[in-house]
Amino acid sequence: EWNGPPHRFQGRLQVSLSKKGIEDARNLSREIIQPDQIITSPAQRCIQTIDALYGKKIKQIVKDERLWEIDNGYFQGKLLEEVKNLHTSELKIWLNKPSSIRPGGGELLEEMLYRVYSCLFELINNIDENINALVVTHAGPIRVMLFNTLGLHLDNFHKMKVDNLEFYKLVK
């Protein structure tokens, strides 16, 4: 619910999936393969997504702090309109040149890229090629990894939409 209007900054807050989010994940579960291993952000919404997708069928679930969403500092939990009213110039920079600012005093996009990349690099280099692994994370980490892979500047961060339950395949 926080992803839609009126748009609230989630960041690292522990927010539950909505009933629709759980239903969407359950519907998707019929279409995806069963992984041998899951590596996930420790966010409650990620854990609930895994539960909705697979129930208790997965034996190996690893929570990795490096997969968390961006730390939005004091923006977290606030509506976009609230941040616009309280921190106008800071929000303007975040929306137009996001690589140059720590939103709400939180984390730089480059710092998020580094921590997510280190997690995925470790996974890809240490996993058996016959193992199907699923990484469950957030839109922010997905965007910065895609930008890095495609050679795009992080200032395009807000120009790419990553939908809930969107999948990307990593190949060694």
Side-chain angles (χ1 to χ4, degrees):
E1 292 174 346
W2 283 29
N3 290 343
H7 302 289
R8 187 179 296 270
F9 286 87
Q10 289 183 87
R12 296 187 178 184
L13 292 178
Q14 289 289 15
V15 179
S16 293
L17 286 181
S18 66
K19 288 180 184 179
K20 181 181 180 340
I22 292 169
E23 182 181 314
D24 288 349
R26 284 188 180 139
N27 289 336
L28 180 65
S29 71
R30 291 184 281 265
E31 301 173 23
I32 61 174
I33 62 165
Q34 177 122 354
D36 301 304
Q37 177 181 1
I38 296 177
I39 302 90
T40 183
S41 159
Q44 180 179 358
R45 54 199 186 266
C46 290
I47 305 302
Q48 289 174 323
T49 298
I50 294 166
D51 287 345
L53 285 169
Y54 301 107
K56 303 296 178 198
K57 297 176 195 170
I58 304 298
K59 294 178 184 147
Q60 187 175 0
I61 298 175
V62 176
K63 295 177 187 173
D64 194 312
E65 295 283 331
R66 295 173 294 179
L67 294 173
W68 259 114
E69 180 60 278
I70 191 167
D71 178 355
N72 284 318
Y74 50 79
F75 285 7
Q76 290 176 163
K78 291 186 173 63
L79 292 170
L80 178 62
E81 199 59 36
E82 288 178 87
V83 173
K84 186 177 179 181
N85 292 334
L86 295 170
H87 308 283
T88 308
S89 60
E90 188 176 353
L91 179 62
K92 187 175 182 179
I93 296 168
W94 171 241
L95 294 175
N96 295 303
K97 300 243 342 136
S99 71
S100 66
I101 192 167
R102 296 175 181 276
E107 177 179 36
L108 289 169
L109 289 176
E110 190 171 317
E111 292 168 333
M112 179 171 57
L113 170 63
Y114 176 78
R115 67 175 163 78
V116 175
Y117 183 82
S118 71
C119 177
L120 296 180
F121 183 81
E122 187 178 293
L123 171 66
I124 288 170
N125 285 306
N126 294 321
I127 197 164
D128 182 307
E129 63 186 45
N130 297 318
I131 299 289
N132 286 316
L134 175 68
V135 176
V136 180
T137 189
H138 310 271
I142 292 170
R143 281 189 206 136
V144 295
M145 287 307 302
L146 286 172
F147 289 164
N148 187 62
T149 302
L150 299 171
L152 300 174
H153 197 279
L154 291 175
D155 280 341
N156 295 301
F157 185 76
H158 299 295
K159 295 176 183 169
M160 177 184 279
K161 182 164 174 38
V162 175
D163 289 324
N164 293 333
L165 298 172
E166 198 161 325
F167 277 79
Y168 295 88
K169 185 175 181 178
L170 295 177
V171 181
K172 195 170 189 177

